[in-house]
Amino acid sequence: MSESFKDFENRKKDHIRLALHDSTQGLVKSGFNQIRLIHQALPEINFSDVSLTVSLLGSEFASPHFVSSMTAGHEDSLQINLRLARAAQKKNWLMGVGSQRRELTDDTAAAEWKKIKLEFPDLKLVSNIGISELIQQPLEKILLLVENLGSVGIFVHLNSLQEVFQNKDEAIFAGGLKAIENLVKKSTVPVLVKEVGFGISKEITEKLFAIGVKVVDVTGNGGTHWGQIEASRSHEDSTLENAINAFHDWGNSAIDCLLDLQEQVLFHQVWASGGIRNGVDSAKCLALGARAVGVAQPLMKAAMVSEAEVIKVMELFDFQLKTAMFCMGIRKYEDFLHKKVWYVAK
Ligand SMILES: Cc1cc2nc3c(=O)[nH]c(=O)nc-3n(C[C@H](O)[C@H](O)[C@H](O)COP(=O)(O)O)c2cc1C
């Protein structure tokens, strides 16, 4: 039976509460520690020479950082999304919106985004829908999500582990690649594919690029653990709470994914997210060829406080990244593709 709107709202609220809790964060630590960036004692550039400006999805942004897709469709989300949107517009970051699933069955759900679009006409947003909905819903409805939002792209999120712990009967994934291919054929904007924190392998990445997907965001582990979040919600089912313990280090980190994709990063837009907790993490991803880096939980935490707090976090991440680039002698992010500035720690 499909869940009621009340249950949907409660689930979304639980997600935020649990995503801010330590028990769902950083359950694996290995990913980022294994990469060392090479310090250039004589960088031969000035700090002011370093530019974070990037071109993504046909637009210019002030930073390769972007707001990773987060929550929508419940009573508190308008305020949260307004804070994120205001900050993203001010700092000129790209912003992914949370799943637009509710808009598929509730016409009023799009109103939240209409308000945001009206207030921030220049803000560049990326739509978001889960693979299960993409498989099961008529394509016309999915295409409308882009139209309603006026977005510059659409993220399809892959979340097999999360779905099992949320409701295993709704873990509908058969036919996923074909559904993405159909979306690519009909979409007027680029199709992007992300995970929610367990990584996307080289094999799947190659298949996605082969059918015309424009961006693969590898979304690795080490940050928010969506299996743990769903298991923590299932108080009445201790089997799930026990079962999740075996999955604490499931999946691959963004770093492991990027190490596997060293050929693909030269020719394709590979983005990274999952466990990005400071601008040095971002520098490591860019050094390994990612063209953009997504941040979720730290921005949600800040958005629960104020817009000023979100801006503070964005400025901190950008400053750390710029400092790391300066200390590596990197002027702009494209230079990462031509200069190897990292090694795997022994
Ligand atoms: C509160 C919250 C809500 C989220 N909702 C969505 C969503 O609707 N769609 C989606 O693709 N990912 C969603 N995510 C996943 C993030 O986009 C991201 O992939 C994941 O949390 C890993 O990044 P992090 O370690 O920086 O949190 C959400 C994350 C958070 C923290």
Side-chain angles (χ1 to χ4, degrees):
M1 204 177 69
S2 66
E3 72 182 337
S4 69
F5 281 149
K6 196 72 225 151
D7 289 346
F8 178 88
E9 285 206 335
N10 287 338
R11 178 158 64 81
K12 294 291 167 185
K13 282 184 191 170
D14 280 357
H15 281 169
I16 295 180
R17 181 177 53 80
L18 289 162
L20 300 184
H21 201 270
D22 285 351
S23 62
T24 66
Q25 291 297 313
L27 302 185
V28 206
K29 299 256 183 253
S30 54
F32 291 90
N33 295 344
Q34 66 182 306
I35 296 297
R36 305 292 306 164
L37 295 172
I38 299 170
H39 178 68
Q40 285 291 339
L42 265 179
E44 297 293 0
I45 53 173
N46 303 326
F47 185 72
S48 59
D49 293 333
V50 179
S51 165
L52 297 188
T53 311
V54 293
S55 173
L56 302 170
L57 307 175
S59 298
E60 297 297 312
F61 296 92
S63 168
H65 286 123
F66 66 95
V67 181
S68 220
S69 325
M70 281 184 287
T71 206
H74 60 83
E75 63 190 86
D76 301 332
S77 64
L78 177 61
Q79 192 190 34
I80 293 170
N81 279 318
L82 275 172
R83 286 174 180 168
L84 290 170
R86 257 188 219 119
Q89 172 148 300
K90 273 192 190 152
K91 300 313 296 179
N92 189 17
W93 281 29
L94 175 68
M95 175 171 165
V97 307
S99 170
Q100 293 172 270
R101 172 180 163 183
R102 187 166 164 181
E103 287 172 50
L104 297 170
T105 49
D106 173 10
D107 290 341
T108 61
E112 182 175 329
W113 292 118
K114 291 224 167 85
K115 273 190 203 148
I116 290 174
K117 273 310 283 183
L118 222 58
E119 200 176 330
F120 311 106
D122 299 332
L123 178 64
K124 301 284 187 287
L125 298 171
V126 181
S127 281
N128 187 287
I129 196 66
I131 185 71
S132 296
E133 278 76 44
L134 182 65
I135 292 168
Q136 295 177 87
Q137 295 284 336
L139 192 51
E140 299 71 45
K141 279 193 162 189
I142 306 287
L143 296 170
L144 263 184
L145 300 177
V146 171
E147 207 177 305
N148 288 342
L149 192 63
S151 47
V152 296
I154 177 166
F155 261 124
V156 177
H157 68 259
L158 313 180
N159 60 342
S160 49
L161 187 67
Q162 178 189 9
E163 286 283 359
V164 171
F165 281 87
Q166 186 179 301
N167 179 354
K168 59 185 182 328
D169 298 329
E170 288 186 10
I172 310 284
F173 279 67
L177 190 66
K178 191 75 205 156
I180 296 172
E181 188 175 11
N182 290 339
L183 176 63
V184 168
K185 281 185 187 148
K186 290 279 161 56
S187 177
T188 52
V189 295
V191 174
L192 301 79
V193 175
K194 72 189 281 288
E195 234 282 343
V196 297
F198 301 101
I200 300 182
S201 67
K202 180 176 168 182
E203 181 197 348
I204 302 296
T205 300
E206 283 180 336
K207 283 184 182 167
L208 291 168
F209 285 136
I211 59 167
V213 165
K214 279 284 177 302
V215 171
V216 173
D217 174 353
V218 294
T219 329
N221 66 16
T224 309
H225 195 298
W226 279 92
Q228 183 60 56
I229 288 179
E230 298 298 352
S232 304
R233 292 188 69 245
S234 60
H235 308 297
E236 70 284 4
D237 188 347
S238 61
T239 318
L240 288 184
E241 285 198 84
N242 291 333
I244 197 62
N245 295 328
F247 291 89
H248 279 170
D249 66 352
W250 188 259
N252 304 104
S253 67
I255 293 293
D256 280 337
C257 294
L258 290 169
L259 284 170
D260 262 4
L261 292 169
Q262 285 304 288
E263 241 172 74
Q264 287 71 19
V265 296
L266 299 174
F267 307 105
H268 293 285
Q269 287 274 323
V270 177
W271 295 7
S273 65
I276 308 295
R277 294 298 175 261
N278 57 60
V280 176
D281 291 343
S282 318
K284 290 180 179 179
C285 292
L286 294 175
L288 270 80
R291 314 283 177 102
V293 181
V295 184
Q297 197 264 9
L299 292 173
M300 175 55 68
K301 203 169 180 177
M304 299 303 282
V305 182
S306 64
E307 175 199 334
E309 197 61 28
V310 178
I311 289 185
K312 227 158 102 183
V313 172
M314 288 175 159
E315 287 178 347
L316 179 65
F317 274 61
D318 277 350
F319 177 67
Q320 289 167 328
L321 172 59
K322 194 167 170 177
T323 302
M325 286 168 68
F326 172 60
C327 293
M328 287 186 282
I330 296 282
R331 266 174 217 272
K332 52 187 191 311
Y333 89 121
E334 290 96 329
D335 294 350
F336 278 122
L337 291 175
H338 309 299
K339 201 170 162 189
K340 187 166 179 227
V341 287
W342 57 274
Y343 61 92
V344 179
K346 292 167 201 90

